[in-house]
Each structure stands twice: as structure tokens, then as C-alpha cells.
Amino acid sequence: MTRLLPALLVLFLAVAASLVAGARALPLVEYARAFAAYDLANPAHITLMQIRIPRLLGGLVAGAALGIAGTVMQTITRNPLADPGILGINAGAAFTLLLGGLLLGQPDAATVTLLALPGAALASALVFMLGGGMRGDAGPVRLTLAGAALNAMLLSLVSAIVLLRQESLDVFRFWVAGSLAEAGARPILFMALLAAGGGLVALAAAPRIEALLLGEALSRGLGTRPGWVQAAALVAVTLTTSAAVGVAGPIAFLGLIVPPIARRFAGSSLRMQLLVSALLGAALLLMADALGRVVIPPSEVRAGIMTALIGAPVFIWLARRVRSGAFG
Amino acid sequence: MILSTRALSFGYGTRSVLRDLDVVIPERRVTAILGPNGCGKSTLLKAMARLIRPASGQVLLDGADIRNQDTRALARRLAILPQAPVAPEGILVGDLVRRGRIPWRGLLSPWRAEDARACAAALQAVGLTHLAHRPLDELSGGQRQRAWIALVLAQEPRLLLLDEPTTFLDLVHQVEVLSLLRRRNRESGLTVVSVLHDMNLAARFSDHLILLGPQGLVAAGAPDLVLTPESLHAAFGLRAVVQPDPVAGTPMVIPA
């Protein structure tokens, strides 16, 4: 429990920052009033309930989901650079989103979300099958290579569609730098359920994923079936990544930098690492979003850009501190 | 619990490694599997742990084919330490040993007192209690091998299979590992089966030897019955003199 406290504290500060930051400064008492007696005529109450609370919820869901997805991926591929971007899952989401755009014309925010989902799921399933699948010999290297290959292929398809149609370029440009700004218009509850499902699968599979890291022979000796464990890990990654992409679009770097930080707080238990990753992922995304709202007022920097701006230096700093790889 | 094989056969490509092998691992004894390189010692061990599927034949645990047994239930009775296990980078000795409890844990069940007890006992048995909080990579080769053994002991099996547990160790650490395994056997009745290369140490620390040759099983039984000039010649093509070990009286192989 004490290992969770620092992450909980950070998350608490991030939640506060997320509620306070913005073009409109709201006195803190207004928050209490808005909850106690919601006043439709009061613009402060409307800002809070219709903009900031949905953004907060969206940030919690997407951030926690990405933290979990990153930790599962880096653990199962034994690659400290693995994240949903590298295994081609974001590219899969982008691909079906654009394909849907081609067929349906200009989609609205909720449709965008639903269009991105099958792509993320399909890309995960594909990368798993390409990497060895249920035969159980999907080694970390095979899985990473399959992901990289799939990513390259999907991205070239994405480019092809973007070049083909001007309208799809507009949708894509807006979507590709992920943001929490549209969270209110997207089906957050559904995404929260997806993310929670993925998180539970990850938590349940965690001891068996740990066994897998001891090599295939020993993990079989410990009574696990490598193929099933990898499948469970991929289900967890797919559900959480899809949820995050659905709420916020692709968020760069978060799935990459949260796991190594979480490992520092959490120690070697994968379950604890997952919990801490979820808390820190949510905290970091909320902070990035809050910062993005105040750096160049009155306009906004999208959260996906902020996470990359904050994430890249943090990642370099981490990579330099850790002896070899980010598994220290 | 008696582990045995019935008409077990393996082939790599067109070459058959083991053919129609029938062996019985005596219960509550220390057994060593000996033989020249490539004769199928490790293959036999892996088959007995269900890590590889034989071309034909069966591995039986108390008479029942291990193929039909529940994976996790089997892992609670039978543990294997493979030749080159992979250590997660930076892992602490205590955390490594804790992973031996995986077959005993349910899907979302928390860490229980009996898990902690099993790990503490395993660390104690290999003499690494004081190093539990140290990273595995900081340990010496002998200590590291003992940490891996602690992991499979924490699994609390009735039967422990080890694939060349002494191969990369110097003589002192080889003796240390083998006497540790025999002590576990004497104290708790753990059945131990190891693939070994050093015949003299195998004879010293085992109750039962299985000697394999290029044509399959050469001899099985007590060390002084198995290690004879005739059987050594059949297995290795080696001319050797066998004399009693001046310390323990067990057979000692001296190449002629």
C-alpha cells in the first residue's frame, strides 16, 4: 500500500491542476457550489460541468489505460521502448478511422472513436499471430519485429488514404495529435469499461507474465502456458489502448515513459507496477492537458503534443540513468 | 510419486535420439542421468517435465500419462530447473524466489502467509537468506545457481528435475550444489533427478544412476552396479578403470 501513496499524491495534484487550469479562472468555491446547486445560468458552472469534468474523466481513463498498456507491452516484449505506437496499434486505429472517413464522409467525435476501435483490436490480433501466436513461441524479439513491420505497413496505408482525399486529411490532422478537448463528446463510459476490463485482465495475468519472463522452459515448469499468457497480455493491451485512443486519440510517449517511472516506485511485482502505472499515467496526462491549456492562452496546445514535449526529455533522462535498458 | 517412461522415443529430423526407452525414477531418491553428449539426456529430462512432446511413448506419473494432467496441478508436484533460465534484469534474489509460488496462486488471489513461509524456507535451505535483498546479478556463479534452486524449492514440488545444474560451476560450487540437493532429499524426501557430466560426483551424491549411450539405455541402478568398465565402454567408448573413491567408497572412474 505504501508503494501506491506517492503515485496517489501525484494524481491528486494532477486532478486539482486539471480542474483549476484554463482560460477561465474559476474560484474554488464555485466548484463546491456547482456540485451543490447547479445553476444553468452561471457560465462558470457550465464550464465546469460540461468542459472540465468530462476532460478530467477522459484524462483519468485514457491516462490510466495507456499506463497499463505500456507496462504490459514493455514487460511482455522485454523491450523498454515498446508502446502502443511501436506495435502498430495506433496505426491500426488511424487506418480504420480513415477508412471509415472515406466511406462515411466527415465523422463526428463519437463516430471517430468507434471507427478507431476495430483497427486497434485488429492490429493487436495481427501482431500476435505474426509473432508466433498460440503456438507459444512468440518470443519478445519476434513480437517486437512483427509489431514494427505491421506499424510500417499500416502507416503507409494511412498515408495513401490521406493523400487520396483532402477531407480525410482534415479529420486525420485533427485526430492524430491526441487531445482531451473532445472527451465530452465521446462515449467515455463505454471506454472506461473497456479500460477497466483490460486492466483486470492484466492484473489477473500478471503473475503468469512474470513467469514468462524467466524463459519459456521455466515458465512451463511453473505451470503456465506461454501462448495463453501472451494472448491474455495482448487482450489487455488491446482493450486499454483502444479505450485510450477512443477517448483521446493517439497520445505520444505516455505509454513509453510511465512504465519505467512506475518500476522505480513499485518494485518488481508486476501487479504493483500496473497499479502505479495506471495512477501515474492518469496523472501525467491530466498535467499535460492542464499545462497545454495555460502555456499560450487563450489558445490550447493539444495534450498529445504536450506529452511528447514533456515526455521526450524525461525519457532521455531516464534512459541515461538506467544502466542498460530501462529495467533497473 | 513415481515417475517413469514407457517406450519413449524421440527424433531430431531423421536421426532418432532415444528409442523405446523405459526408465523408472525411484521415489524419494537422488537420481543422476549420465551419458555422452548428444545421447538425449536433456531430451529425456525435458520430456519428463512435459516441456517437449515425444515422437511416441509416454511419461507416467504414478502410472498416469502426464499429458492428460492439469498443467498447474502438475507444476505443484513436479518442478524443473532448465539449463539456461532467464533472469529479469535487476531482479532481487527474494523476488526471484517468490516466482516459485506461481503455480500455487489463483487468478486474483493475494500473497498469502504460506507463500511467504515457502519462500523463506527455500532461501534458508540454499543458505541465501542474508542475500534476499540483493540483486541477482551481484551474486557469484555458485550463489546465483543456489538462488535458482531456491525458486524451484519454493514451488514445493515432490519431484525436482535439474538440467545440468553444475555445468558452469567450479568444483567447490559443484559439490555445494550437489550436497545441498542431497540434503533436501534426506530432510524432506524430495525426489531429485539431475543431468550431470561428472561421473565421480554423480556416483558420490546419487542413490541411483541412469546411464545412456548412443544406442539408448546402457544401465540403471545403484552407482557401483552402473559404473563398470563394460558399461562405460558401451556408453562412451571409453576404456576406464573403476576404483572405490578413497573418501566415500563410491565408484570412481579413471580413464585408462
Side-chain angles (χ1 to χ4, degrees), chain A residues 39 51 65 75 83 96 151 153 177 192 199 218 227 281 298 300 311 327:
Chain A
D39 180 2
I51 299 175
T75 310
D83 88 336
T96 47
N151 194 31
M153 191 191 78
L218 190 49
E300 251 188 62
F327 278 92

Side-chain angles (χ1 to χ4, degrees), chain A residues 86-114:
Chain A
I86 285 191
L87 287 194
I89 299 177
N90 284 344
F95 175 65
T96 47
L97 162 72
L98 285 170
L99 206 63
L102 270 184
L103 301 175
L104 303 176
Q106 195 82 309
D108 60 20
T111 322
V112 161
T113 296
L114 296 177

Side-chain angles (χ1 to χ4, degrees), chain A residues 78 200 203-205 207-208 210-211 213-218 220-225 267-271 322-328, chain B residues 51 71-72 75 78-82 85-91 95-96 99-100 102-103 105-110 137 148 151-152 155:
Chain A
R78 271 186 249 221
L200 273 179
L203 284 173
R208 279 150 193 87
E210 287 177 337
L213 297 184
L214 302 172
E216 199 193 315
L218 190 49
R220 280 185 191 273
L222 287 167
T224 64
R225 296 159 188 250
S268 74
S269 152
L270 183 56
R271 268 192 191 152
V322 172
R323 276 170 299 151
S324 53
F327 278 92
Chain B
L51 296 186
T71 313
R72 222 146 59 91
L78 188 153
I80 180 163
L81 183 59
V86 188
E89 216 172 297
I91 193 167
D95 288 331
L96 183 76
R99 304 205 168 168
I102 288 166
R105 301 182 65 188
L107 268 190
L108 282 170
S109 69
D137 355 322
W148 285 109
L151 183 154
V152 282
Q155 201 175 333

Side-chain angles (χ1 to χ4, degrees), chain A residues 4-99:
Chain A
L4 283 177
L5 278 180
L8 273 171
L9 192 69
V10 175
L11 179 61
F12 180 74
L13 293 176
V15 168
S18 166
L19 284 175
V20 171
R24 179 194 293 275
L26 298 179
L28 274 172
V29 281
E30 280 306 325
Y31 293 106
R33 278 201 208 122
F35 280 110
Y38 184 56
D39 180 2
L40 260 179
N42 187 337
H45 288 195
I46 292 172
T47 304
L48 185 68
M49 284 306 199
Q50 301 200 347
I51 299 175
R52 296 212 181 151
I53 296 285
R55 274 182 101 135
L56 172 66
L57 295 178
L60 286 174
V61 172
L66 280 176
I68 290 173
T71 292
V72 173
M73 273 192 188
Q74 294 188 7
T75 310
I76 202 101
T77 60
R78 271 186 249 221
N79 183 346
L81 298 176
D83 88 336
I86 285 191
L87 287 194
I89 299 177
N90 284 344
F95 175 65
T96 47
L97 162 72
L98 285 170
L99 206 63

Side-chain angles (χ1 to χ4, degrees), chain B residues 192-232:
Chain B
V192 177
V193 186
S194 326
V195 170
L196 295 178
H197 275 299
D198 188 316
M199 286 179 282
N200 299 336
L201 285 179
R204 169 88 77 93
F205 287 100
S206 312
D207 308 304
H208 187 85
L209 299 183
I210 294 173
L211 181 62
L212 300 178
Q215 313 301 327
L217 184 69
V218 173
D224 48 349
L225 298 177
V226 170
L227 293 184
T228 61
E230 297 74 35
S231 64
L232 287 168

Side-chain angles (χ1 to χ4, degrees), chain A residues 85-183:
Chain A
I86 285 191
L87 287 194
I89 299 177
N90 284 344
F95 175 65
T96 47
L97 162 72
L98 285 170
L99 206 63
L102 270 184
L103 301 175
L104 303 176
Q106 195 82 309
D108 60 20
T111 322
V112 161
T113 296
L114 296 177
L115 284 177
L117 276 184
L122 218 66
S124 302
L126 260 177
V127 86
F128 179 63
M129 287 191 305
L130 288 173
M134 296 303 287
R135 292 204 312 277
D137 56 359
V141 178
R142 280 187 75 158
L143 211 60
T144 314
L145 284 179
L150 186 70
N151 194 31
M153 191 191 78
L154 286 169
L155 281 181
S156 63
L157 288 176
V158 164
S159 311
I161 300 179
V162 164
L163 290 172
L164 207 65
R165 289 276 289 266
Q166 178 64 36
E167 314 91 89
S168 55
L169 180 62
D170 291 340
V171 179
F172 185 66
R173 247 186 1 183
F174 198 52
W175 177 83
V176 76
S179 167
L180 295 176
E182 296 85 35

